[in-house]
Every structure is written in C-alpha cells, then in structure tokens.
C-alpha cells in the first residue's frame, strides 16, 4: 500500500493511509488475530456475516426496485471561501 505525501503534509497522508487500511479491513483482521478464535465461534461469526450481507443485498435490491425509500441525500453546504452562487454541476459556462 502506498500513499503520496504532498507538500510535506504528513498528517493528511496519515489520514489517507488510515482510510485505505480501514477500507481493506486491515484493522478488523488485526483485532481478530489478537486472540485465538475457536472453530465453532468462527462458524457462528461467518454465518452472522453472511446473513448481514444477504440482508444488505436484499435491502439494496428493494431500494432499486422502488419498494423501499432510498438513502437520504445529504444537503450540500457551501464551503467557506468557495465562490458564492457558482454551481459546479452546471456546464453552461
């Protein structure tokens, strides 16, 4: 895994690295390897994870089909210092 440091900004590079490691599941795996997990506990955990994935997939499918409302949209808040009234999604320039 590689992260570029721009303008000697190590703090930002660390944040990016942590985010990448989180996405890869590295922290979860490290925590799981701290102690031995009995095979029976592993089966129970894997079964619960599979059920959770199946529920999530079913929920997403229902949202796509219009049976459930989709996730709430986040309102865009204007950043301080950004040009006021400028719509970046509008390509009529």
């Amino acid at each position: 895994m590689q992260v570029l440091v721009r303008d000697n900004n190590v703090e930002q590079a660390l944040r990016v690295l942590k985010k990448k490691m989180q996405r890869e599941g590295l922290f979860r795996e490290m925590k799981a390897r701290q102690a031995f997990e009995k095979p029976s506990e592993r089966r129970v955990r894997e079964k619960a994870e599979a059920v959770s994935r199946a529920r999530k997939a079913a929920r997403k499918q229902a949202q796509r089909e219009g049976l459930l409302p989709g996730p709430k949209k986040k309102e865009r808040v204007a950043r301080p210092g950004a040009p006021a009234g400028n719509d970046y999604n509008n390509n009529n320039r």
Side-chain angles (χ1 to χ4, degrees):
M1 196 173 297
Q2 186 176 20
V3 176
L4 297 175
V5 179
R6 294 186 182 134
D7 300 328
N8 290 331
N9 195 346
V10 178
E11 289 82 18
Q12 181 183 8
L14 275 175
R15 276 197 307 269
V16 171
L17 177 65
K18 283 183 182 179
K19 198 177 285 188
K20 281 186 176 186
M21 291 169 64
Q22 182 76 32
R23 265 192 230 119
E24 292 289 327
L26 202 72
F27 294 121
R28 193 180 324 120
E29 186 176 341
M30 284 176 15
K31 185 178 179 183
R33 288 177 185 253
Q34 282 180 348
F36 179 74
E37 184 178 27
K38 290 171 40 179
S40 60
E41 292 173 347
R42 191 178 120 244
R43 280 193 298 271
V44 168
R45 178 182 52 79
E46 288 177 352
K47 177 89 171 174
E49 288 173 356
V51 168
S52 175
R53 279 194 308 271
R55 279 189 185 147
K56 182 177 180 179
R59 185 173 59 246
K60 292 265 191 187
Q61 183 67 31
Q63 286 175 351
R64 281 194 293 270
E65 293 173 355
L67 301 174
L68 290 176
K72 293 183 179 178
K73 305 270 188 206
K74 292 183 181 177
E75 289 186 28
R76 290 189 55 167
V77 179
R79 292 189 331 248
N86 192 355
D87 186 10
Y88 291 107
N89 292 334
N90 190 359
N91 293 327
N92 298 334
R93 294 184 201 178

